[in-house]
Amino acid sequence: MDSIREQLQIFTRRFDSLNSSCCDECCGQQVSMVQSHILFELRKAGTPSMQQVAEELIMDVTTFSRQAKTLEKKGLISRSVSPDDRRVILLALTDEGLRVLRQIDLYMADRIERIFSSMTPFERETVIRSLRLLNDAVIKASCSQHPDTIACCN
């Protein structure tokens, strides 16, 4: 098991180091990894509540709120009150947020393509399949430990 943990830690560090320079090189915005994850989730979900995105990212709502305020100040997201429940804040990407996210997508696609370029098509597919299996196993393990957690049901 130590070698699995070690390999996961090495991969995480190396992949994070790829991401750390992303925004300086691709979109000109100082967007942290956490903030880019928020932008990504907003695009995926449309106009979700702050609570929904915080749960999806497994992030404390207070921490998430600070990140959302920063993104709003940068003009990358907008916040509005839900017409159905005035206590709920809805989030959406602005045009600038969508532009920045598209730049990040292009940058990361190029970086990932460079990583995969040294692999055969079979090796690529094996890695992708393995990542899906690993992600599914993490969800199953989380759900069995915390059956009442909403985020694990996604």
Side-chain angles (χ1 to χ4, degrees), residues 37-50 52-53 56 64 76-80 89-95 97-98 101:
H37 289 304
I38 292 169
L39 297 175
F40 184 84
E41 288 302 321
L42 288 180
R43 178 177 56 198
K44 192 168 79 171
T47 310
S49 71
M50 286 183 61
Q52 287 172 307
V53 180
E56 183 64 30
F64 179 83
L76 302 180
I77 68 170
S78 63
R79 298 172 359 138
S80 61
I89 302 296
L90 302 176
L91 302 174
L93 286 171
T94 63
D95 289 342
L98 191 55
L101 188 54

Side-chain angles (χ1 to χ4, degrees), residues 9-112:
Q9 287 180 328
I10 291 169
F11 173 77
T12 302
R13 282 194 307 265
R14 288 181 180 161
F15 196 75
D16 281 348
S17 75
L18 286 179
N19 294 331
S20 65
S21 63
C22 169
C23 294
D24 291 334
E25 296 176 18
C26 78
C27 68
Q29 289 272 353
Q30 292 299 315
V31 178
S32 70
M33 276 307 295
V34 169
Q35 292 168 350
S36 70
H37 289 304
I38 292 169
L39 297 175
F40 184 84
E41 288 302 321
L42 288 180
R43 178 177 56 198
K44 192 168 79 171
T47 310
S49 71
M50 286 183 61
Q51 182 71 32
Q52 287 172 307
V53 180
E55 285 178 5
E56 183 64 30
L57 294 174
I58 312 169
M59 188 182 293
D60 173 74
V61 176
T62 305
T63 303
F64 179 83
S65 180
R66 280 193 304 270
Q67 295 293 333
K69 284 179 185 175
T70 300
L71 289 169
E72 185 179 31
K73 285 178 187 174
K74 292 179 180 188
L76 302 180
I77 68 170
S78 63
R79 298 172 359 138
S80 61
V81 176
S82 169
D84 300 328
D85 185 344
R86 310 268 322 143
R87 299 169 295 174
V88 176
I89 302 296
L90 302 176
L91 302 174
L93 286 171
T94 63
D95 289 342
E96 178 64 6
L98 191 55
R99 184 196 71 75
V100 166
L101 188 54
R102 285 183 186 135
Q103 290 298 116
I104 293 169
D105 288 344
L106 290 171
Y107 176 85
M108 290 307 298
D110 179 61
R111 299 296 290 236
I112 290 167

